[in-house]
């Protein structure tokens, strides 16, 4: 186990490779490690805890092992250089503000196992240009994409029942499935 804040604010730390024996990591474990560039996580870890990599401004790429089932609140918040994220094939939930202000993130692919994305999960990802939601997510929340000013294409796949997205003013292509049963009031308003 790596306990909470164990490496928080280690400003010179450039690389992390967690041993295979590590099964859990505490909140804030690597928060504000501003020089952190490379991360390799144990395939026994099930959760990316809150603020784990928040403020790691040099982190550009991350591959999450398939053992990861959830990403907790603000886990990658303010990772301003993060441009490539490979999510776990078994990921089930992404919590509030998990990727808020990841300004370099231009694309993200969700696994079919994903059932929940909380509000503001990708808010202010200003380079995010397209996103495709799997049908396994029944409700698309209002502020998931708030402040994503470069968003051009949104695809919502068959299986989603309720859409309540806002802030899609610049979106040029919006694809809705036949399974949609409800589009909430003001859903697509700026």
């Amino acid at each position: 186990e790596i306990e909470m804040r164990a490496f928080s604010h280690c400003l010179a730390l450039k690389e992390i490779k967690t041993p295979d024996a590590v099964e859990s990591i505490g909140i804030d474990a690597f928060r504000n490690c501003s020089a952190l560039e490379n991360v390799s996580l144990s395939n026994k870890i099930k959760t990316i805890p809150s603020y784990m990599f928040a403020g790691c401004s040099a982190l550009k790429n991350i591959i999450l092992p398939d053992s990861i089932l959830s990403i907790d609140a603000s886990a990658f918040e303010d990772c301003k250089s993060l441009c490539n994220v490979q999510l776990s094939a078994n990921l089930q939930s992404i919590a509030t503000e998990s990727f808020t202000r990841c300004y370099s993130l231009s694309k993200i692919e969700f696994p079919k196992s994903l059932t929940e994305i909380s509000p503001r999960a990708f808010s202010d990802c200003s380079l995010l240009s397209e996103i495709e939601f799997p049908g396994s997510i029944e409700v698309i929340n209002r502020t998931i994409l708030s402040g994503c000013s470069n968003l051009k294409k949104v695809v919502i796949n068959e299986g989603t029942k309720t859409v309540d997205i806002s802030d899609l003013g610049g979106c040029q292509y919006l694809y809705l499935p036949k399974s949609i049963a409800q589009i909430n009031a003001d859903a697509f308003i700026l």
Side-chain angles (χ1 to χ4, degrees), residues 128-131 133 140-156 163-176 186-190:
L128 192 62
S129 61
E130 66 179 68
I131 196 159
F133 295 103
I140 308 287
N141 279 305
R142 177 168 291 274
T143 57
I144 286 174
L145 302 169
S146 178
C148 295
S149 55
N150 196 41
L151 199 60
K152 302 291 183 241
K153 181 179 179 181
V154 175
V155 176
I156 300 172
V163 175
D164 193 17
I165 298 177
S166 63
D167 249 358
L168 293 180
C171 185
Q172 297 170 354
Y173 302 99
L174 176 63
Y175 299 94
L176 298 172
D186 302 324
F188 297 101
I189 202 164
L190 284 175

Side-chain angles (χ1 to χ4, degrees), residues 10-30:
C10 288
L11 303 180
L13 185 64
K14 288 189 170 217
E15 185 169 0
I16 299 163
K17 182 176 186 337
T18 60
D20 290 338
V22 173
E23 294 183 13
S24 67
I25 298 177
I27 63 170
D28 291 324
F30 302 102

Side-chain angles (χ1 to χ4, degrees), residues 56-64 71 75-87 91 94-95 97-110 117 120-133 144-153:
C56 293
S57 54
L59 185 63
K60 291 182 181 178
N61 304 298
I62 188 141
I63 298 172
L64 298 180
I71 299 173
F76 294 95
E77 176 181 283
D78 290 319
C79 289
K80 294 175 167 83
S81 299
L82 188 63
C83 58
N84 184 34
V85 177
Q86 182 178 326
L87 297 173
L91 186 66
I94 299 174
E97 298 185 343
S98 292
F99 293 93
T100 291
R101 292 183 298 278
C102 291
Y103 298 128
S104 299
L105 188 64
S106 62
K107 186 177 180 187
I108 187 134
E109 293 183 25
F110 299 121
I117 302 177
R120 299 191 54 77
F122 293 92
S123 63
D124 298 315
C125 292
S126 54
L127 283 185
L128 192 62
S129 61
E130 66 179 68
I131 196 159
E132 182 173 347
F133 295 103
I144 286 174
L145 302 169
S146 178
C148 295
S149 55
N150 196 41
L151 199 60
K152 302 291 183 241
K153 181 179 179 181

